[in-house]
Amino acid sequence: MKILMVLTSHDQLGDTGNKTGFWLEEFSSPYYVFKDAGADITLASPKGGQPPLDPTSDAEDAQTESTDRFKNDKEAQEHLANTEVLSKVNPDDYDAVFYPGGHGPLWDLAEDSDSKAIIEHLYSASKPVGAVCHAPAVFKNTKAKDGNSLVSGKKVTGFSNSEEAAVELTEVVPFLVEDMLQQNGGHYSKGNDWESFIQIDGNLITGQNPASSADTAKAILAQLK
């Protein structure tokens, strides 16, 4: 199994002066789900190299078993520090793609043409395409073969409006994930705030929030076995 994980390169939280990036738990949990299953993992980002970590996800109250494991895993840290440049990635080389969230993808990956091409290529080849929390932002501009939005008519989830309101960033983000998915014709649903909830519609797999990251990755693996 060859799995591509795509991370954000964007580190500015709008015009707040605060930093953002990828969410540590949403990277570390899926990374180890895939690694422990024997997958060959490639990490990529628009700019390559070390992707920016959302400092909030590094706070003590955001740590989990997988984040602790990552912080003691020099090999994984080195892997993350050397992500490949996304434009140089050949989607034919991969069996699945997964996008960790954090607020960063709302700014760069949502508009990135290379990301769009990779998603459309893998999806049309019936290979699993997964995204968790804010990362379903990557479906903002993706199209299915019929020209409609890739999420149109599909069961999807992602970071909810109520969760965004809880972290007080509703007025900061360029768009709300829940609203965008609905505007693109997606059949959005959600579970309780901050609890694991995923949606599977064919080879499109989405998770609502950080608590959903491992389950989203496991759902991708289930389709690869």
Side-chain angles (χ1 to χ4, degrees):
M1 295 180 291
K2 297 191 73 175
I3 298 177
L4 176 65
M5 294 182 73
V6 182
L7 296 104
T8 182
S9 293
H10 185 86
D11 69 352
Q12 296 296 316
L13 190 60
D15 55 9
T16 63
N18 295 324
K19 294 291 189 180
T20 191
F22 74 93
W23 196 263
L24 184 57
E25 157 70 17
E26 296 168 29
F27 164 74
S28 61
S29 281
Y31 182 83
Y32 289 118
V33 167
F34 297 146
K35 186 175 182 180
D36 293 346
D40 180 359
I41 305 167
T42 296
L43 304 180
S45 62
K47 294 181 180 178
Q50 175 71 56
L53 174 66
D54 186 317
T56 310
S57 75
D58 206 24
E60 195 171 327
D61 63 356
Q63 302 315 297
T64 65
E65 187 177 330
S66 73
T67 64
D68 291 342
R69 180 177 173 184
F70 175 74
K71 289 178 178 181
N72 289 297
D73 187 342
K74 297 295 185 197
E75 185 179 346
Q77 291 168 23
E78 184 73 12
H79 195 184
L80 180 65
N82 294 281
T83 66
E84 297 188 14
V85 177
L86 191 58
S87 62
K88 296 180 179 178
V89 167
N90 180 358
D92 284 325
D93 292 342
Y94 299 97
D95 300 307
V97 64
F98 176 81
Y99 287 79
H103 282 87
L106 294 170
W107 279 274
D108 64 349
L109 291 172
E111 309 295 340
D112 190 281
S113 59
D114 297 308
S115 173
K116 179 175 180 285
I118 287 168
I119 291 168
E120 291 174 350
H121 187 93
L122 267 71
Y123 183 81
S124 66
S126 298
K127 296 178 178 181
V129 174
V132 68
C133 199
H134 285 92
V138 301
F139 303 123
K140 183 169 182 262
N141 297 306
T142 51
K143 304 290 185 188
K145 281 183 176 177
D146 62 7
N148 291 320
S149 170
L150 189 113
V151 300
S152 181
K154 308 284 195 323
K155 295 186 295 183
V156 288
T157 190
F159 205 59
S160 66
N161 290 355
S162 54
E163 287 167 323
E164 200 69 81
V167 297
E168 300 181 346
L169 291 172
T170 301
E171 303 302 323
V172 173
V173 294
F175 61 91
L176 295 167
V177 174
E178 177 180 334
D179 288 356
M180 178 276 291
L181 291 171
Q182 291 178 327
Q183 288 160 4
N184 279 358
H187 296 318
Y188 178 91
S189 58
K190 63 178 183 176
N192 293 328
D193 287 0
W194 316 116
E195 294 181 11
S196 180
F197 181 82
I198 69 170
Q199 287 287 79
I200 303 170
D201 196 318
N203 57 313
L204 180 64
I205 302 165
T206 47
Q208 181 179 327
N209 48 33
S212 314
S213 55
D215 287 340
T216 307
K218 289 172 185 174
I220 291 172
L221 274 185
Q223 294 198 2
L224 294 176
K225 290 181 176 176

